[in-house]
Amino acid sequence: MNEGVSAPGDELVADDTTHDTSTYDAPSAADFRHARTLPVEDGWYKRAVFYEVLVRAFADSNRDGFGDLPGLTDKLDYLAWLGVDCLWLPPFYDSPLRDGGYDIRDYRKVLGEFGTVEDFVEFVDQAHARGIRVITDLVMNHTSDQHFWFQESRRDPEGPYGDFYVWSDDDTRWPEARIIFVDTESSNWTYDSVRGQFYWHRFFSHQPDLNFDNPAVCEAMIDALRFWLDLGIDGFRLDAVPYLYERDGTNGENLPETHAFLRRVRKVVDDEYPGRVLLAEANQWPADVVEYFGDADAGGDECHMAFHFPLMPRIFMAVRRESRFPISEILAQTPAIPHNAQWGIFLRNHDELTLEMVTDDERDYMYAEYAKDPRMKANIGIRRRLAPLLDNDRNQLELFTALLLSLPGSPVLYYGDEIGMGDNIWLGDRDGVRSPMQWTPDRNAGFSTCDPGRLNLPVIMDPVYGYQAVNVEAQSNSTASLLHWNRRMIDIRKQHPAFALGSFHELGGSNSSVLAYVREHAGADGARDVVLCVNNMSRFPQPVELDLIAWKGEVPTELTGGVPFPAIGELPYLLTLPGHGFYWFAIHPAQER
Amino acid sequence: MPATSPDGAPPNPGDPLVGLHDDLLAWLPTQRWFPAKGREIAGLRTVAHTVVSTPGELPTVEHAVVGVSFTDGTGSAEERYQLVLGVAASPPGDVEYAVIGRRRTPDGGDEVVYDGLADGRISRLFLALITSDATRGTLHFVPEPGTEMPIVGPGRPLLGEQSNSSVIYGERAIMKLFRRATAGLNPDLELHRALGRQGSVEVAPLLGAVEGELDGEPMVVAMLQSYAANSADGWSMALTSVRDLLAEADLRPDEVGGDFAGEARRIGKTVGSVHRELAAALGSGPLDGDGAAEIEAWMLARLDHAAEATEGVREQRDAIAAVLRGVATAGPSTVQRIHGDLHLGQELRTPTGWLVIDFEGEPSKSLADRTRPDSPMRDVAAMLRSFDYAAFHQLSDWEQSADEADPQLERRAQEWADRNRSAFCDGYAEVTGTDPRDNPALLRAYELDKAVYEVLYETRNRPTWVSIPLRSMRRLLTDTGAARR
């Protein structure tokens, strides 16, 4: 919902009806009921299948055209049936919604359209009742320009919030910091006519960066974290963590001060909320991202998880190139991570397919291949859903999902991709991939019973991806559907701890179109789990000879059907794969079968 | 197969492999690395023999060089091959496939002799001897200074190799036994050693070698290198790309997903780096008039040899000769040590980049010819030829069944070749500062020389492929720009 670079002062006077600026009193967690909590379970996040769900787009319970928390609560049985372990909710906080809610106006209030804090507590409670955990987005780097803190900061430089943001008399400092939203922003500084100074913002100009050099800001942020943790959530996805601090002569990313603050946050979580998790969003190269796990000797003392950004575009590139090397390369460049840490991996999410972590050559190539219409490009990325990106090819959808569920890391699914939903590239910014969940072939796709004109975003209606063709109800009734297939694969993944916890060893092989790897895990009870994954990146059938001599005499059993394949002998193991085909095998000693 | 030797001469009773000759004569022609298949063998003798194991150590390990002579009188009178033999009263079950034969022991017993590389204990012994800088008879086991042995353990024989035999140690190291025994410095070892000492990342690091003696000259027995795990060769990757293109036909090479130009450019950079490092390690100089005349004479001799044997070359002999003479009049160029037998199959894609392998040089040439400095354009031209081969290989297979080539597909294949040849030159120029296309006369001469050799080779060995070099030969004779930009 980006309206560009208009100065925040334009709407200040008329718009700020939310707070009485002189007497704002932040609510405390004690003011609310708390959700039941799930038992503390070490490393649950390393085994979990995550599911990103937009409250706004999932289900509307009160016919106002917006998805809401009670609507989401109603759909928990579906999510439990699908088999997901943890929901990730992008921001649902009070916000002017100029950046999809990543512009937070009040850290302790739920966006009116979504419901109330009480609705949120009920949602978490019901999720926990089904064994599903919940993590929420938290934007620490910046607030909305309508946040009480910012309004106070601009009005009264000497007041308690005067130093909450990064102010400067000119706009020349820190020229090394890149501009992230190059489509809309021309500078990281914007002039504020009320205070008569420039303020610093790494993202949109309506999102001023908080000043973490001010201890009061650190305290206020940690208190905001405590508020939600007290209510019962299982952790946070920390948005845009690399940018918390600014230092002269640096690009303002990944600074030591930022890591020090994250260690402080981690200590609060470990001391006061054991079992809760921190997931970092740091769109950086893996060698830089591992820093966000913190000290490896301590098992990691910053974030428990971090997204692996470069892997995702490489998966797309590998399949288009019919070569495993784009993936092999990035995995070979990925350093080891602390033993308590885990990558988060994904194919698509609410943002564009990010191409910041590919080279310029590769970016041109990705645009040419996947964004034939210029509207599909957004910032440095491509705003498409998985199914349209893959031309709705079921074989590729299955191959990509099989990779997501078997490469190292916890998979993060994006709502709607389990049924192969489409996108609407004619909607502004990234809304094209945030359209309402398609539940039924009925009015508004079963998302809402409101007047269709009232919908916050229109449902997808094209003949291929439209809700009458693609919806949960229809796919629930057919066991051959993509939805059922996804559910089965999630289930298989959960039966084999090696997928989640195992070591990763690429097997190579002379056929460069085939990506084959072994995941191996020894449980605490000594039980060994070995999984072999073989993926054909090519659209043509391929043979591959694999060196499986380490498992000589053992038997690979295909995991979707349980069919035992010939025992592994002295010679290279020959497999043939259909175009874009894949196999998952468990390797067992022969007598175990 | 003759029982002893067809001339009736009895084997030398002092020969340490006496009693095994018949078995060896039956076994050698079944080995992939034995090139003289089909030639009638006149006899066999042991040229060198060393016991590698210490007394009492099991199994007994012997190194031998055997000389094989032939009745047909063509080629060299005697070809020499290296063997590593395991000897045991009863070998372990998993080397049964490698058994050569049985022989009597001096005390009247019976022992089994087998190809030693199949036995993990023997490959482990070789590794241990290299690590400990050991000497056994005339064999020296030499670790490469400044490198660390990554692993100690049994090796596993690599299957499906052509001209040599290798064992792999736990995906960390690979030892190559040179099957053909040649006196003199082996360019594969020499250049790997020189490149390693330049800190080259374009070759698999050398870890050690086994060096021996033959006819009073040094001989390289085996070479130990880091193993390039998870790699694939450039030839099969290029074919994957061409296959993707030809399946579309209405799309250009830059429009299909399997575009190879990015890799071709990286290969160009890799080859350029290797050339730079070879020049830095072993020197380079200008290509002077005498040198050019020598190269030209060599090319013309090869041309006349090919013209005798193949009609396609004979018809064009004078036109080809005119282009080859361009070497003498071409612009300034340098000579240095080069790879000498470069093609897409000699390049390995690993997760970190491309490696160049196998610096033995063209197998048909003498050692002196293989180690003589030459223009780097020979390697470049060989790579350009290889892209042509990759482009048209699949079409030539299809043409066997179709009445005539589909001109649309042929055009696509040519576009693929042009695009990737050009990308290779871009990459090469980026690293060396010398764009091969800036010296078109020299490049064209080397390409044509290579194409002539290919026509001869295909006519003799793979007649169904001869259309590939013939097509290129025609193009090189009409097209004055060897590689289009």
Side-chain angles (χ1 to χ4, degrees):
Chain A
M1 300 281 266
N2 154 43
E3 273 104 52
V5 289
S6 58
D10 295 350
E11 66 259 32
L12 165 69
V13 183
D15 201 45
D16 191 27
T17 51
T18 323
H19 308 296
D20 177 336
T21 53
S22 55
T23 61
Y24 178 66
D25 227 358
S28 133
D31 303 341
F32 302 96
R33 180 170 81 92
H34 295 183
R36 78 188 81 178
T37 51
L38 285 172
V40 174
E41 196 187 324
D42 259 357
W44 63 267
Y45 51 89
K46 293 168 79 173
R47 295 182 296 274
V49 173
F50 289 73
Y51 184 95
E52 181 188 5
V53 56
L54 304 188
V55 176
R56 174 165 78 120
F58 213 57
D60 172 15
S61 71
N62 61 356
R63 311 186 61 190
D64 66 351
F66 269 86
D68 47 43
L69 287 163
L72 176 55
T73 309
D74 283 346
K75 298 297 185 184
L76 281 168
D77 284 335
Y78 164 74
L79 295 168
W81 172 86
L82 182 59
V84 301
D85 302 294
C86 182
L87 302 178
W88 156 30
L89 270 60
F92 51 90
Y93 313 98
D94 180 41
S95 161
L97 291 185
R98 295 182 63 190
D99 182 22
Y102 286 87
D103 47 338
I104 297 173
R105 183 162 51 197
D106 186 337
Y107 283 102
R108 302 182 185 215
K109 197 172 164 197
V110 170
L111 184 73
E113 291 90 336
F114 290 175
T116 62
V117 171
E118 286 83 356
D119 291 335
F120 179 77
V121 170
E122 172 65 10
F123 156 69
V124 175
D125 190 61
Q126 289 300 320
H128 284 174
R130 291 161 178 80
I132 297 176
R133 296 179 191 267
V134 176
I135 65 170
T136 67
D137 247 300
L138 192 80
V139 189
M140 301 200 295
N141 182 65
H142 51 258
T143 67
S144 161
D145 58 11
Q146 296 181 24
H147 196 287
F148 170 75
W149 297 340
F150 187 69
Q151 295 302 329
E152 284 297 292
S153 192
R154 62 196 303 213
R155 188 180 64 79
D156 182 6
E158 304 307 320
Y161 301 101
D163 200 23
F164 258 49
Y165 294 84
V166 183
W167 295 98
S168 172
D169 289 333
D170 63 45
D171 60 356
T172 57
R173 219 172 162 194
W174 305 313
E176 299 88 350
R178 69 192 164 116
I179 295 165
I180 291 164
F181 287 152
V182 289
D183 284 2
T184 50
E185 300 297 332
S186 54
S187 168
N188 286 326
W189 290 104
T190 293
Y191 184 71
D192 177 53
S193 57
V194 174
R195 178 152 163 163
Q197 278 186 305
F198 292 88
Y199 61 89
W200 178 250
H201 55 86
R202 290 308 303 271
F203 295 88
F204 292 118
S205 59
H206 56 77
Q207 292 167 331
D209 276 27
L210 286 162
N211 175 21
F212 279 84
D213 280 319
N214 178 355
V217 168
C218 299
E219 285 306 324
M221 192 53 62
I222 287 173
D223 280 346
L225 291 159
R226 284 195 180 103
F227 175 80
W228 295 101
L229 290 166
D230 283 337
L231 294 181
I233 64 163
D234 299 283
F236 292 103
R237 169 192 178 269
L238 301 176
D239 187 64
V241 286
Y243 312 100
L244 299 187
Y245 287 80
E246 303 79 29
R247 287 295 178 265
D248 289 338
T250 74
N251 64 3
E253 300 180 19
N254 312 321
L255 295 175
E257 292 83 355
T258 298
H259 288 290
F261 179 68
L262 287 172
R263 277 195 294 278
R264 196 173 150 201
V265 172
R266 172 66 176 263
K267 188 155 171 26
V268 169
V269 169
D270 284 351
D271 291 351
E272 301 171 31
Y273 308 96
R276 320 289 178 96
V277 66
L278 299 172
L279 163 58
E281 186 220 23
N283 193 353
Q284 308 276 331
W285 289 104
D288 291 324
V289 175
V290 288
E291 300 292 318
Y292 288 94
F293 294 125
D295 183 7
D297 294 335
D301 59 1
E302 293 184 28
C303 293
H304 302 78
M305 292 182 70
F307 282 119
H308 196 307
F309 277 92
L311 175 62
M312 174 265 295
R314 300 294 182 127
I315 295 176
F316 285 86
M317 198 182 306
V319 173
R320 284 300 292 184
R321 285 269 189 253
E322 308 194 6
S323 162
R324 69 171 180 260
F325 283 106
I327 297 175
S328 305
E329 239 170 27
I330 200 68
L331 291 175
Q333 288 171 28
T334 300
I337 59 176
H339 68 268
N340 283 330
Q342 175 72 304
W343 291 109
I345 61 175
F346 57 95
L347 295 171
R348 299 296 308 108
N349 62 25
H350 63 278
D351 278 332
E352 65 273 15
L353 195 164
T354 316
L355 299 182
E356 283 164 76
M357 291 302 129
V358 296
T359 65
D360 286 349
D361 276 358
E362 293 170 344
R363 187 177 304 133
D364 291 347
Y365 169 80
M366 292 289 287
Y367 276 148
E369 291 300 331
Y370 290 106
K372 297 195 167 74
D373 186 320
R375 281 197 66 86
M376 295 177 186
K377 297 177 193 175
N379 296 311
I380 304 177
I382 300 169
R383 41 169 133 150
R384 307 297 314 271
R385 268 188 177 271
L386 185 63
L389 273 170
L390 302 179
D391 287 334
N392 211 23
D393 175 349
R394 175 75 182 261
N395 290 337
Q396 286 189 67
L397 282 166
E398 293 187 0
L399 173 65
F400 275 70
T401 307
L403 287 165
L404 176 70
L405 293 176
S406 62
L407 284 168
S410 292
V412 183
L413 310 174
Y414 184 52
Y415 88 93
D417 281 348
E418 73 270 26
I419 54 172
M421 260 173 67
D423 48 36
N424 182 347
I425 58 170
W426 305 104
L427 295 176
D429 192 31
R430 290 159 281 178
D431 281 341
V433 297
R434 300 173 181 183
S435 58
M437 180 71 178
Q438 296 170 190
W439 295 103
T440 69
D442 304 331
R443 180 170 56 151
N444 299 334
F447 161 75
S448 171
T449 55
C450 72
D451 184 322
R454 238 191 126 174
L455 284 181
N456 167 246
L457 286 175
V459 292
I460 304 286
M461 285 187 285
D462 67 66
V464 176
Y465 302 105
Y467 64 89
Q468 289 176 326
V470 176
N471 62 69
V472 170
E473 184 181 282
Q475 293 199 17
S476 302
N477 292 335
S478 160
T479 53
S481 66
L482 185 64
L483 176 62
H484 272 277
W485 183 88
N486 275 305
R487 179 175 181 252
R488 282 196 299 274
M489 296 305 282
I490 291 170
D491 184 49
I492 293 167
R493 180 189 151 94
K494 288 180 169 180
Q495 292 168 21
H496 289 273
F499 282 117
L501 306 170
S503 61
F504 174 85
H505 174 66
E506 219 191 305
L507 288 172
S510 63
N511 189 335
S512 59
S513 295
V514 176
L515 174 71
Y517 43 87
V518 168
R519 309 288 314 271
E520 189 163 7
H521 175 68
D525 55 355
R528 195 192 61 146
D529 187 30
V530 183
V531 171
L532 165 67
C533 305
V534 189
N535 305 278
N536 180 8
M537 302 288 137
S538 165
R539 56 196 172 129
F540 305 119
Q542 299 284 335
V544 66
E545 290 188 335
L546 297 173
D547 179 355
L548 299 180
I549 196 77
W551 297 276
K552 194 171 118 182
E554 302 195 13
V555 174
T557 302
E558 201 280 331
L559 287 179
T560 63
V563 174
F565 272 50
I568 297 162
E570 187 81 43
L571 295 172
Y573 198 78
L574 173 70
L575 288 169
T576 56
L577 296 110
H580 291 141
F582 76 93
Y583 294 127
W584 283 2
F585 296 104
I587 298 182
H588 298 293
Q591 66 273 19
E592 257 183 45
R593 275 190 296 123
Chain B
M1 200 52 60
T4 50
S5 58
D7 56 9
N12 174 6
D15 189 321
L17 295 181
V18 75
L20 198 66
H21 281 196
D22 288 353
D23 288 329
L24 280 171
L25 287 170
W27 180 76
L28 283 170
T30 66
Q31 298 305 299
R32 290 185 73 148
W33 45 263
F34 189 77
K37 294 189 184 66
R39 291 177 73 184
E40 198 183 339
I41 296 173
L44 180 140
R45 72 186 177 102
T46 305
V47 179
H49 186 267
T50 309
V51 177
V52 177
S53 51
T54 47
E57 195 174 6
L58 283 177
T60 305
V61 183
E62 300 173 10
H63 171 264
V65 176
V66 294
V68 179
S69 51
F70 300 93
T71 56
D72 53 13
T74 63
S76 50
E78 185 182 70
E79 302 282 0
R80 290 163 169 188
Y81 302 102
Q82 297 203 65
L83 307 175
V84 171
L85 303 173
V87 185
S90 57
D94 56 356
V95 303
E96 226 162 67
Y97 72 96
V99 167
I100 297 168
R102 294 176 170 276
R103 72 178 178 199
R104 310 292 292 175
T105 57
D107 55 17
D110 194 31
E111 59 190 10
V112 177
V113 182
Y114 56 96
D115 187 2
L117 295 185
D119 188 338
R121 295 172 298 177
I122 296 177
S123 45
R124 182 173 52 203
L125 173 67
F126 268 67
L127 195 58
L129 291 172
I130 292 173
T131 308
S132 58
D133 205 353
T135 298
R136 292 282 188 275
T138 58
L139 297 187
H140 302 285
F141 297 81
V142 195
E144 180 67 6
T147 61
E148 216 167 287
M149 215 53 72
I151 194 169
V152 175
R156 195 162 51 73
L158 181 69
L159 302 170
E161 253 189 309
Q162 289 295 341
S163 46
N164 294 303
S165 300
S166 298
V167 286
I168 298 167
Y169 298 94
E171 294 203 343
R172 306 292 295 277
I174 178 166
M175 184 176 73
K176 172 156 82 175
L177 175 72
F178 295 98
R179 283 297 182 175
R180 192 176 280 221
T182 313
L185 194 51
N186 178 317
D188 204 10
L189 177 65
E190 180 199 7
L191 298 191
H192 268 105
R193 193 168 270 167
L195 287 167
R197 290 172 186 177
Q198 288 288 315
S200 172
V201 294
E202 287 82 21
V203 292
L206 181 70
L207 299 173
V210 184
E211 299 177 38
E213 264 177 38
L214 188 66
D215 301 337
E217 277 193 76
M219 171 189 72
V220 177
V221 175
M223 184 165 100
L224 183 74
Q225 283 177 280
S226 286
Y227 180 71
N230 190 10
S231 63
D233 71 281
W235 172 249
S236 59
M237 288 182 70
L239 291 190
T240 300
S241 168
V242 174
R243 199 181 300 127
D244 191 47
L245 173 67
L246 297 184
E248 295 293 345
D250 60 333
L251 294 177
R252 294 194 313 270
D254 58 327
E255 293 172 324
V256 293
D259 183 19
F260 194 68
E263 300 290 2
R265 188 152 169 272
R266 284 189 273 272
I267 294 172
K269 289 170 81 168
T270 303
V271 171
S273 299
V274 166
H275 280 166
R276 266 188 14 181
E277 289 153 3
L278 284 174
L282 301 166
S284 68
L287 175 61
D288 56 20
D290 289 350
E294 200 179 327
I295 291 170
E296 189 188 305
W298 199 93
M299 285 181 176
L300 288 172
R302 185 145 98 165
L303 170 63
D304 287 332
H305 179 55
E308 269 173 43
T310 60
E311 194 189 338
V313 175
R314 190 157 57 241
E315 286 167 355
Q316 302 282 349
R317 195 260 162 213
D318 292 346
I320 297 170
V323 175
L324 297 185
R325 289 200 185 92
V327 173
T329 54
S333 179
T334 55
V335 288
Q336 61 166 82
R337 291 297 298 278
I338 61 170
H339 182 282
D341 187 27
L342 212 51
H343 53 82
L344 281 161
Q346 305 277 40
E347 273 129 15
L348 292 185
R349 177 69 155 97
T350 74
T352 51
W354 286 90
L355 298 179
V356 179
I357 59 167
D358 209 351
F359 285 74
E360 278 192 272
E362 219 174 272
S364 62
K365 289 186 182 175
S366 70
L367 183 62
D369 281 336
R370 285 188 277 146
T371 53
R372 182 173 300 137
D374 200 339
S375 166
M377 287 303 110
R378 181 183 292 284
D379 281 349
V380 170
M383 280 309 300
L384 298 183
R385 293 292 316 123
S386 193
F387 283 114
D388 248 22
Y389 252 76
F392 289 100
H393 167 261
Q394 191 174 339
L395 278 187
S396 72
D397 274 358
W398 285 354
E399 282 164 19
Q400 313 310 318
S401 51
D403 287 342
E404 57 184 44
D406 179 341
Q408 172 82 358
L409 292 182
E410 207 160 320
R411 214 170 94 206
R412 291 293 169 240
Q414 188 60 54
E415 283 172 358
W416 187 95
D418 290 345
R419 176 172 171 77
N420 288 289
R421 288 157 56 99
S422 168
F424 173 87
C425 289
D426 288 345
Y428 188 88
E430 195 180 312
V431 166
T432 61
T434 304
D435 191 323
R437 292 162 295 194
D438 290 345
N439 199 342
L442 189 63
L443 188 59
R444 197 166 156 225
Y446 272 111
E447 256 206 275
L448 197 53
D449 171 62
K450 182 82 177 172
V452 166
Y453 168 74
E454 288 162 0
V455 172
L456 177 65
Y457 181 86
E458 302 300 7
T459 303
R460 284 188 175 159
N461 298 290
R462 299 181 295 199
T464 57
W465 284 25
V466 76
S467 66
I468 302 175
L470 276 176
R471 182 190 277 112
S472 311
M473 209 176 76
R474 280 194 298 272
R475 191 174 53 79
L476 284 160
L477 287 171
T478 52
D479 185 4
T480 47
R484 295 170 211 177
R485 279 184 203 251

